[in-house]
Every structure is written in C-alpha cells, then in structure tokens.
Amino acid sequence: MILPRSFYTRATVDVARDLLGKWIVHGKSAGRIVEVEAYLGEGDPAAHSAAGMTPRTRVIFGPPGHAYVYLSYGMHECLNIVAEPEGKAGCVLIRALEPVSGLAAMRERRGAVRSDRELANGPGKLTQALGITRAHYGADLTRGDLVVRSAPDGAAPEVDASARIGITKAADLPLRFSIRGNPFVSR
DNA sequence: GGTAGGATGGGCT
DNA sequence: GCCCATCCTACCC
C-alpha cells in the first residue's frame, strides 16, 4: 500500500521514526528505509528551511508527502520527504536503504562497489542507486514513478536515536533515527 | 581495521 | 566569496 498524504501530515519527528522499515520504490528498484534524520521547521538552525522560504526551500513549506531533492557538495543529490501540514516547514532526510529489489540496476548505476552493503548506505549513494535526481524536486510521493509504500511484512522495527551526521549547527540534537542492528545503516 | 584530503557547483550574503 | 545535511581514493596500521 502506498502511504497516504495523512501519513506525512504530522510532526516531523513522528514521520521520521515511522518511515523506518517503509519501502521507497522507483521503477524496478526498491529499498527499505533503515536510517533517517529529522530537520525541523522551528528551533532547528541546521535545517535548510531555517533561512526562510527561497527558490530552493519552497517545497519544504508546501504540502506534505512531496520530495525535496538538493545537490550536496556540488556532486551528490540527497532525498528528503516533506512533513507537517502545508505552510509549516519540516522534512526527513533519507540516509540509508537496504536494497530489496532491482539490485542489478542499482549496481549498474552505482559503478564499482565492493559489496551490496555499499549500494545505498549513505544519502548520496541511495539516490544514485535508485536513479533519483533533482528532476524529482517537488515530486508527489503518493503517486507517480517514485513512491513510498508500507512493507509487505509490517512489523515495526526497533529504533535507535542519535545525533545527526555531518552538520555543525545543533549537532547535539538526537534527531537521527535508525533500525537497531541493521548492517545497511551508514555508520 | 582506520583516517586525511580533495573533488565540485549551487545557494545565498 | 564562503559555506556546505558527501563520497571516494590513497595510504597507514
């Protein structure tokens, strides 16, 4: 089942935790979400939306369930999913996936990787593995070629909380969530 | 097993 | 002009 809009129309932290275990599907490739980070609309200087609405951050303030894709360090695209009701900022960075289908296509897009564990265990790696680019900026994830669905076996995973990775502002907030013991978590 | 350094371009002041 | 929500390679245990 594709996650409905109402799933995303909630507090960003709740959406982030509940995204763990869900599947991101693009074409024939799919991955299970094992690691995410919450970026809040209020009181979070690390969030891109902290500087207000700009051409780049516009979608973060829009309706939930859409994709916010940005270019990181001039080279890598990163995928976020917009949360909170329309008009309020908040999004969830997808940091790592456990590949579940279409692995051959992922290997082709990723190039030289030593093992399947390295296919999508990082925010820039997973977009490359799934073929997600800035062309998906603003895409509606409740319909179309890129969607998020519930897993076939719906058991809720055990969740670890820790500090977000690679940021300098608000670096101590425990807004990174991952599935306990999962080997596809980035670190 | 570990880490240091460089690539590379858009967004905003 | 400065700042990055990163990744890969080389090199060293």
Side-chain angles (χ1 to χ4, degrees), chain A residues 28-44:
Chain A
K28 292 180 179 175
S29 294
R32 177 173 177 250
I33 300 172
V34 299
E35 179 183 350
V36 299
E37 284 176 359
Y39 285 89
L40 311 181
E42 292 169 4
D44 185 5

Side-chain angles (χ1 to χ4, degrees), chain A residues 76-161:
Chain A
H76 306 104
E77 332 243 3
C78 294
L79 170 67
N80 293 252
I81 302 178
V82 176
E84 306 281 353
E86 180 167 7
K88 189 172 181 190
C91 62
V92 178
L93 171 67
I94 310 301
R95 278 200 60 91
L97 300 177
E98 174 177 345
V100 293
S101 74
L103 271 70
M106 292 192 198
R107 291 187 199 104
E108 201 162 316
R109 283 187 287 254
R110 284 280 291 133
V113 292
R114 282 187 284 278
S115 76
D116 288 348
R117 201 173 60 83
E118 299 172 37
L119 282 176
N121 65 336
K125 301 178 191 179
L126 70 92
T127 55
Q128 188 181 30
L130 284 183
I132 296 168
T133 69
R134 279 167 289 168
H136 289 98
Y137 181 92
D140 185 352
L141 300 178
T142 68
R143 58 187 303 151
D145 70 312
L146 177 63
V147 296
V148 185
R149 48 164 285 191
S150 53
D153 56 39
E158 275 195 288
V159 175
D160 283 332

